[in-house]
Every structure is written in structure tokens, then in C-alpha cells.
Amino acid sequence: AQKVTQAQTEISVVEKEDVTLDCVYETRDTTYYLFWYKQPPSGELVFLIRRNSFDEQNEISGRYSWNFQKSTSSFNFTITASQVVDSAVYFCALSVSILTGGGNKLTFGTGTQLKVEL
Amino acid sequence: GAVVSQHPSRVICKSGTSVKIECRSLDFQATTMFWYRQFPKQSLMLMATSNEGSKATYEQGVEKDKFLINHASLTLSTLTVTSAHPEDSSFYICSATRGGLSSYEQYFGPGTRLTVT
């Protein structure tokens, strides 16, 4: 069975601060995909990133960066110089390969509510 | 792109009535569609997986007779909440996958907020 843990329920920062959202996952599959989604108050899920289990390279996209470490089963997300528009709920999710019978079901973490204040 | 739409975006219905929610893949054929439910301040919980032309597979604890899912074509899946009750009030989100080697990628609809009075 798959499990995703986002231990931080809510984080509050002041604008321009850096903030890291933690994600720890569990799976016995060797082939899997990790995702981060943003859910603003409107409710629509916004895809941020996908990583497969064979690609441990960290990624940077503008103010966003992701640190994938298989040794600790973590896929953390950092926002640099946070802005008020970053306020949202962020979900980490895990999907195992259809080849291993996972059926591509997404297992979501419980989400982290990020509040960025002026 | 890979766009998924949902209709309606919001619906209010009276207790005991049924309501249908549509999920459409606008620019691709979706071999598999997923239905999620999200209660306030909670995570997305998978309700069921549907493949075109076959019966949906429901997650444990989800009532098949209450949440009817039909995936009649490669671009349309519907979720019907039958005999809705206030506890069914929730945010319902669908997603769709292209299938094949891209089947790990789910494209999400904008969600439908259901309120049962």
C-alpha cells in the first residue's frame, strides 16, 4: 500500500520569506511517480511538478524548487521569496506504475495550508 | 493541452433528490477517469475508477448504489449522486488519463461543489 505524509498542516510566513513544504512517502514499488499540486481557494487543482522514481535530480522552476531524496523517501518543495499569491493548500501525491498493478491511482497527502501574509 | 471540464461547477439540491455531474475530456480521449471527493479542509479521497465501456471500480466504503458512475464514451464520465443527503455535500473532482505510457498523468477537472439542503 502507498502512503504520503505531509506533517505540516498549516504554515504561516511573511512575504519574501522562503518556505519548505515537507513530503514523505511510502511504497514498495521501485517504479513510481511523485507529484505536487496547488489548490487555491477556487478549488481547482494546479499541477506543479511530476518526478519519476529514477530521476533524483533536483528541479528549479522560477521561485519553486524540489528536492527528491530516495534515501529518506522525501520529496520536499521550497518556495523562495514567497508571495501572497502563493497562499493555497499544497498536496503531495504518489502514483505507482501501472505495470506493477498500481492502476495509476493517486494517493494524496493530507495537504499543507500555506498562508503568506504581508 | 489536456483539458478536463466538469459541469455543473456548483449545484444545490434538496435532500432526497438525485444530481448528475459530468466530466469531459475536451481535447483527448480518456481511457480512464477517476472520481474524488473532498470534504472541507481535507484531502482528496478517491471514490472510484472508471474505464470506458466497463463498470466502475469503487473504493472500499463507497456505496455503489448511491454513487452511480457511467463512462459511456472516451470523453465523458458521469457521477450521479442518488437520494442525496446533507452529508453528501462535498467538492467532487474528476480526473482523466490518456492511457498507455502516459497513464500515470492525471488531468483534473475544476471540481463541482455540491450542497444538499
Side-chain angles (χ1 to χ4, degrees):
Chain A
Q2 283 64 242
K3 185 178 178 182
V4 177
T5 301
Q6 293 181 256
Q8 304 150 310
T9 304
E10 187 172 317
I11 301 176
S12 290
V13 298
V14 176
E15 204 175 37
K16 297 185 183 178
E17 284 185 9
D18 298 347
V19 58
T20 296
L21 282 60
D22 298 332
C23 173
V24 175
Y25 63 93
E26 295 177 31
T27 180
R28 292 184 177 180
D29 290 85
T30 56
T31 302
Y32 52 88
Y33 299 89
L34 293 163
F35 301 80
W36 274 97
Y37 294 92
K38 175 182 180 180
Q39 188 178 42
S42 65
E44 184 165 359
L45 280 178
V46 177
F47 167 81
L48 296 178
I49 191 172
R50 177 187 69 248
R51 258 294 178 260
N52 74 53
S53 51
F54 300 110
D55 183 1
E56 279 194 80
Q57 278 193 333
N58 292 331
E59 181 154 340
I60 298 175
S61 176
R63 296 184 296 107
Y64 296 169
S65 63
W66 291 269
N67 186 315
F68 177 26
Q69 292 197 340
K70 289 178 75 171
S71 60
T72 55
S73 297
S74 64
F75 187 41
N76 297 336
F77 172 33
T78 297
I79 301 175
T80 304
S82 59
Q83 299 176 1
V84 173
V85 292
D86 296 327
S87 297
V89 179
Y90 290 85
F91 290 99
C92 180
L94 167 70
S95 174
V96 297
S97 170
I98 193 171
L99 297 176
T100 58
N104 290 309
K105 293 182 184 180
L106 267 177
T107 300
F108 283 87
T110 49
T112 297
Q113 170 78 62
L114 174 64
K115 293 185 179 179
V116 182
E117 299 165 336
L118 292 172
Chain B
V3 181
V4 176
S5 70
Q6 278 185 245
H7 178 79
S9 57
R10 288 178 178 271
V11 58
I12 301 173
C13 70
K14 292 188 176 180
S15 186
T17 62
S18 296
V19 60
K20 180 185 287 188
I21 301 169
E22 291 186 350
C23 177
R24 292 181 185 272
S25 55
L26 299 184
D27 52 2
F28 67 100
Q29 292 188 327
T31 55
T32 303
M33 287 185 169
F34 301 86
W35 285 95
Y36 296 85
R37 179 169 53 182
Q38 185 181 30
F39 291 110
K41 297 189 182 299
Q42 293 189 24
S43 188
L44 282 76
M45 298 299 294
L46 180 65
M47 298 175 67
T49 303
S50 74
N51 293 293
E52 185 262 341
S54 60
K55 289 185 178 180
T57 302
Y58 291 80
E59 295 299 300
Q60 196 171 10
V62 177
E63 299 174 59
K64 301 178 184 181
D65 296 332
K66 183 170 186 59
F67 298 99
L68 302 179
I69 292 172
N70 184 283
H71 193 161
S73 76
L74 284 173
T75 59
L76 174 64
S77 176
T78 59
L79 167 68
T80 302
V81 183
T82 62
S83 187
H85 288 98
E87 57 265 31
D88 299 322
S89 298
S90 188
F91 192 54
Y92 292 87
I93 305 174
C94 73
S95 70
T97 66
R98 295 178 190 269
L101 295 178
S102 301
S103 56
Y104 55 81
E105 188 78 68
Q106 290 188 27
Y107 303 97
F108 286 87
T112 296
R113 199 165 299 279
L114 170 63
T115 303
V116 184
T117 61

